[in-house]
Structure formats: C-alpha cells, structure tokens
Amino acid sequence: MGVPEKIDTENLVELHNLKEYFPVRTGAFSTVPLKAVDGVSFNIRAGETLGLVGESGCGKTTVGRTMLRLYKPTGGEFYFDGELVTDKNIHRLRKQMQMVFQDPYSSLDPRMTVEDIIGEPLDIYHLYSSKAQRHERIMELMELVGLNAEHATRYAHEFSGGQRQRIGIARALAVNPKFIVCDEPVSALDVSIQAQVINMFEDLQKKLGVAYLFIAHDLLVVHHISKRIAVMYLGKLVEIADADDLNDNPIHPYTLSLLSAIPIPDPKTARASKRIVLEGDVPSPMHMPSGCPFRTRCRYATEQCAKEMPPLTDRGNGHSVACWNR
Amino acid sequence: MAANYDIPTPKKRLLSLQINPKLFEKATDEEKKQQDVMAQSTTFFRDGMRRLMKNPLAVISMIILIFVILVMAIAPSVVPYGYDEIITVEGVRDKEAANLKPFEYSPKEQAYMEKYNVQVFPHIMGTDELCRDYFIRVVYGTRVSFFVGIFASLMVLVIGTIYGAIAGYAGGKTDLIMMRIVDIIYSLPDILIIILLSVVLRETLDVSKVPLLGGLGSNMISMFIVFGLLYWVGMARLVRGQVLQTKENEYVLAAKSMGASSGRIIRKHILPNCLSVIIITTAQQIPTAIFTESYLSFIGLGVSLPRPSLGSLANAARSGMQSYPWKLVFPAAAIVLIVLAFNLIGDAMRDAFDPKLRK
Ligand SMILES: Nc1ncnc2c1ncn2[C@@H]1O[C@H](COP(=O)(O)OP(=O)(O)O)[C@@H](O)[C@H]1O
Ligand code: SF4
Ligand SMILES: [Mg+2]
C-alpha cells in the first residue's frame, strides 16, 4: 500500500475537493458534464456524525455514493482512517464503510429472507466458520436494531417501512463498520416513525462508536443527531459548522432561508423571525450560474458574486461559510 | 449536542423536533404487537401457486394436460397396435380393415372374435386407409408434438436467456449492437423464413447417419434449427428488459456497496428476480411451438412419414374429408385441446406470478 498519507490523525474521514461530473448526452455525439458534486471537502471524526443537508437534487446522494466508489470520482481525494481510498483498496475498505439507503422498499431484495439479507455481507466476506455462527450473528444484529428475531425467515415485503429500514441498518452493521453513509434514511418514513429510527441511530452510535454521514433534506432531522452540519447547494458546500452554532448563528443566505422555512409552533418566536421565502427555481446543474451558485436567488447578491465563486472561509470556531457579503 | 427531547420548550431551540413528550401516552404491549406483524408468511413460489390454484381455467387445463400425458405414457403399452403396424388377424394382413369408423371391427376381426369367443382390442378412433389403428397414431402424433414443443421451448429458453442477460447486464454499446441484431431478426416475416429454411435445410441436411438424431428425420431437425434461429429473439428481448429493470433496483447497488462481485450480483439478485418472467415466457412458448410444428407438418414441411405428427395426420385426412371426417377431427381436436390448455396455463401463470400485479 506504500506509505499511507495521513493528514490529521484525529479524522476518520477526510474528503478533499470531491468532484463528480456525470456526462449527459445532449446530441448524438455530444455530451455536457453535469456537475452533481463540485469540490466538496469535509472531515468526520471517529464516532461522530456530520449532517449533510440541502434541497433534493443538490448532490447529497452523489457525495455518499462517490465516497463509497459506487460512482468513479471525477476528482478529489478521500482519506479513510488515514489511507487514500483507491480502486485497489476499496474492496477491503468496504468492510469498514457501509451505506443505508433512502428507499427501504427497493433497497432490499424481495426474493431474500431477512436472514439472508442481513447475512449477505457476512457471506461476501466469509465472516463465519459455521452456519450456526452465522445464524447467531444475524440474531444478534436483529436484536440490536429492535427487530423480532422470530421474523428472520420472513420476506422483506411483509414488514413496514420502519422495520424495513431497520433491516437495512442491521445489514450495514453486519461487518462492524467504522463509518456509515446514511442517505436520507428516514425521509421515506412516516413522521411518527422518523423519531424512533433517528433515536435508534443515536443509540447505535453510542453503543458501537460508529461515525455517520447523515444525509437529509431538512435541517430538523439532521440537527437532532449531528455534531456538525454541512449545508449544500448545487453541488457545493456553502456553510459548515457545529450543529448548535449553525442553529443559533447561521450566516449563509441559503442557510438562513432553510432555517426560516421551518414552521415554529410558538407564535411569539414566529413573529420575531421573519420568514424568508426563496424566489425562483434551483438552476439546472447543467447550466450553473457563474460565480456563486446561489446568486440567482440571493437577496445579498452583488456584482462580485457573478464574477467569482466565494471560497469557504473560516469565521471562527470551525464555522466556515462561502459568501462574499455576509 | 443535539436538541433535547425532554425539554418541552419550543422556543428555546429553533431546530429541535419540538415534540412535547407529555402529550404522549405509552403504548401498551398489545398495541405494540399490532404494529409488529404483518401478512402471513409465504414464499414467493407458494404464494403464486396458491393464486394459480384459485384460477378454475388453469386447474381445468392442468387436468386436461395431465390426462393427455397419462394417455401418451400408458396407451402404447396397453393398445396392442403399433403406429406403423398394419392390422393382422391370425397372422394374416386384414385388407378389409381400412378406414373403419371408431369402435368398428372389420369383417375378419368379427369372424375371429366369434370363432374364439374373445374380445379384440377396439379401434377407438377407427383405422386409416392403410389399415393402421388410428388411435395409436394420434397418440404418437401427440407425443411428437409435445416433444417438439418442449424441446423447441427449451432451446429458445437457453439461447434467449443467455443473449438477453448479457445484453441487459453489459448495457451501453454492447447492448445497442446486440439488440439491433434482434430487431432485424424480429422484423423478418417468420412463416416465410420458416418455409424457406425448412425447404433449404431438408435438401442440404443429412442426419440419417448421426446416431440419436437420425431417427428424428431431417425435417424435425430443420424445424429445431428454425425455432432456434427465429423464436429466441422474443425471449431475448424480454429477458434483457427484465435484467435492465432489475439492475436499477437499489438492492443491486446495495450489494455493490457491500463488495459483492458481478457474478454474485447476477446469481443472487438479478436472475432470481427475472426467473418468473423466464419461466412464464417458456411456458407460453410451448403452444406456439406445437402450433408451428402442426402447421408445418400440415403443409408438408414438418415431420416425415411414416412417423405421424398431429399436423401430418390432419394433412393426410384432408383428402378423404367428406367420407371420413373423424380422421381430421381427432388430430385437429388434439391440437386445439393441447394448445389451448398450454396457453391458458401460461396466462394464468403470468397472472399468478407477475410481481407487478401483486397487491
Ligand atoms: N447516475 C447519474 N447520472 C446522471 N446524473 C445523475 C446521476 N445521479 C444523479 N444525477 C444528477 O445529479 C444531481 C444530484 O443528484 P443527487 O445526488 O441524487 O441529489 P440529492 O441526493 O441531493 O437529491 C441531480 O441533478 C441528478 O439528476
Ligand atoms: S456570495 Fe453573493 S450571491 Fe452568493 S450567497 Fe453570498 S451574497 Fe449571495
Ligand atoms: Mg438523494
């Protein structure tokens, strides 16, 4: 493997300038790059959670999938536990990096029993020496995520959405990973179930010390579970800060509008904070605006915003913002 | 850290879930159990079979097919006549036994029965113009038709599935080229090609020296080649479409993210999820093949004499249709019955197993 390049020993995940451009066919022989992810960097420490929020279509899923090399990255480096992730070592590293998918219906094979679904990673990495050991491990995992072990021989379609998501989590945990990408794991669930599943993610983190990249499209869900939160807009990070810091002291105009979109039940607070309604649609990632991607909808936009992309600059306390005017 | 559930003060945290736990009541164990489960546990196969058995047409068709298969299996050992054997009475050829009606005896047979006071096995469907028992000929004809139908469908299954699965899984340019070839074959007028190929192959193919195949006659062999060349395209298209669709499911991506190899993904995830389509299409292919065989034999391009097939029996009966109509009715009825039964079962299987119709 050579000498592993390590930049900060405390970080389990270090992502530098990740880029993922999808070629989109525009004519018979011409393609245009769709910049789904354009220069995203962040760090996650062992056992911690980074929340990643943004409107749907801004590239959150692509960040997660490109990190796990389900898509070949167009550019950037990903250091996992100090080791540069490449095509060569990804098979070994997948044992430590797992994924929970957004759709609990299509992410479980309808022809497999729960036992075989959870056992699949064990089968792939030959993590047992006997059938009995495999069975025992699966029972243990089911119990861990709050599933009734008696249902191991059932098929996934017999379970509710929340239970199916638990199956997906048990599958991700089977290999004892250090890091799990959770791609909107609760957005397909009923609101009443969402809180249960989020609490379970927290409990599992406390018990197992696993780190999460927790993706969601609304801040509410992410704030509850995350140590730090990154806000994404059109393939770029626009703000990253500690969860409470972002909540109390948001800086980027896009984050402000996200926060003001959250309904507040208390009328006093509601009057105090004026609602910022975003105008216009999200521009297509194939026809990005020049300079700051948010300028077409930004109240603070100036001439400079159209010329140059603002860099992500530290405003103290690890609170970084990409904006010229705030 | 994260917002705290236990503090029911909504204005303190702008982003908290703002749920007031005091408004909630603890669920009883019984309520929890109700949340728990779920439909009756059944495997996919048992579930489909149950639905199949609820379809009366399918059940009747199955009974008919089982009956036909039993007759095919038992009749040759019960009926004391061969399919190419001319009826003899006391070792002498019975020239008067031609074109008998069903259950009719020839004068010689009647005399024989009276003389020894025994029962000669009846000619259930009469006899043909060469004094051969017609029932056993129809039974053998049915056997040939079954054999052709099943063998041809298996050929279509193997070629079509492999071709379609490769095109679908590879995708991109490979898929594009492979499917254009399919389109070309698909656009050919099949009956015309079958007739042309049968004629050409009959002239050029000599299988009489090949063991095993020799007995089948070159017509039958050429028919398999025709089936193999033409009918796999439908299967290939279906399998490809199904593989493409299955490949897009997130569980395939999930398997990849867990480190599964392509081989494992095809074996464990893609093929099992395409299996019902493959089986149903094969079942639906059988009646098509049987019908095509009968059709070709009827126009004289099929199975060679003296071996009967349902189509060639019907063809031979054409000339004497006015005087001996039953000779056309029996093989024609057998074709209709078998083709209809297979078709109904195929359709019922599609309805019972097609996951898109599942509730
Ligand atoms: N495999 C792909 N090929 C081409 N474009 C894609 C692909 N996956 C995602 N995209 C595009 O990339 C952008 C970001 O998508 P995604 O990462 O799924 O967003 P999010 O998860 O934030 O909703 C979207 O415009 C989407 O259309
Ligand atoms: S850089 Fe300009 S356009 Fe972009 S968010 Fe800041 S003020 Fe708005
Ligand atoms: Mg997404």
Side-chain angles (χ1 to χ4, degrees), chain A residues 20-24 34-37 54-65 71 102 183-184 215-217 232 234-235 284-286:
Chain A
E20 179 64 58
Y21 300 169
F22 294 113
V24 174
L34 184 156
K35 299 182 177 177
V37 176
E55 282 163 295
S56 90
C58 70
K60 306 179 298 291
T61 298
T62 310
V63 168
R65 290 186 179 175
Y71 304 142
Q102 175 172 4
D183 186 4
E184 304 201 28
I215 301 174
H217 64 256
M232 215 176 152
L234 274 184
S284 147
M286 283 168 68

Side-chain angles (χ1 to χ4, degrees), chain A residues 65 68 70 91 94 97-99 101-103 106-112 120-121 123-125 148 151 153-155 157-159 163 171 193 195 199 202 219-220 223-227 244 247-248 259 262 264-266 268-269, chain B residues 1-5 10-19 35-44 47 173 248-261 264 268-276 353 355 358:
Chain A
R65 290 186 179 175
L68 297 194
L70 294 175
H91 185 75
R94 272 191 180 133
M97 298 188 274
Q98 291 283 308
M99 186 149 186
F101 288 80
Q102 175 172 4
D103 182 354
S106 96
S107 59
L108 305 177
D109 189 334
R111 294 299 159 80
M112 282 183 156
E120 184 163 24
D123 297 340
I124 291 170
Y125 291 101
N148 186 343
H151 299 152
T153 53
R154 300 282 177 105
Y155 286 80
H157 68 83
E158 299 168 41
F159 292 80
Q163 288 171 318
R171 171 173 68 182
I193 313 270
N199 285 341
E202 271 194 315
L219 268 165
L220 231 122
H223 180 259
H224 183 66
I225 192 172
S226 304
K227 171 95 166 64
D244 290 341
N247 179 31
D248 300 336
L259 282 170
I262 298 170
I264 299 158
D266 183 4
K268 267 183 246 154
T269 337
Chain B
M1 258 285 307
N4 196 338
Y5 267 141
K11 59 183 155 181
K12 191 173 179 196
R13 280 266 173 268
L14 206 59
L15 290 173
S16 79
L17 284 166
Q18 318 208 8
I19 291 167
Q35 286 275 308
D36 223 17
V37 164
M38 306 135 169
Q40 179 83 84
S41 174
T42 46
T43 66
F44 178 80
D47 210 22
K173 288 217 169 60
E248 289 309 312
N249 277 306
E250 269 186 351
Y251 55 78
V252 172
L253 206 62
K256 255 184 223 160
S257 78
M258 284 181 277
S261 62
R264 188 188 161 87
K268 292 276 178 180
H269 298 288
I270 293 184
L271 279 185
N273 280 287
C274 297
L275 206 61
S276 60
F353 286 99
R358 285 172 71 104

Side-chain angles (χ1 to χ4, degrees), chain A residues 219-256:
Chain A
L219 268 165
L220 231 122
V221 164
V222 158
H223 180 259
H224 183 66
I225 192 172
S226 304
K227 171 95 166 64
R228 285 166 69 71
I229 295 179
V231 181
M232 215 176 152
Y233 186 78
L234 274 184
K236 295 191 168 78
L237 284 195
V238 295
E239 183 160 7
I240 179 165
D242 280 354
D244 290 341
D245 196 11
L246 191 85
N247 179 31
D248 300 336
N249 179 26
I251 296 177
H252 196 276
Y254 179 60
T255 315
L256 287 173

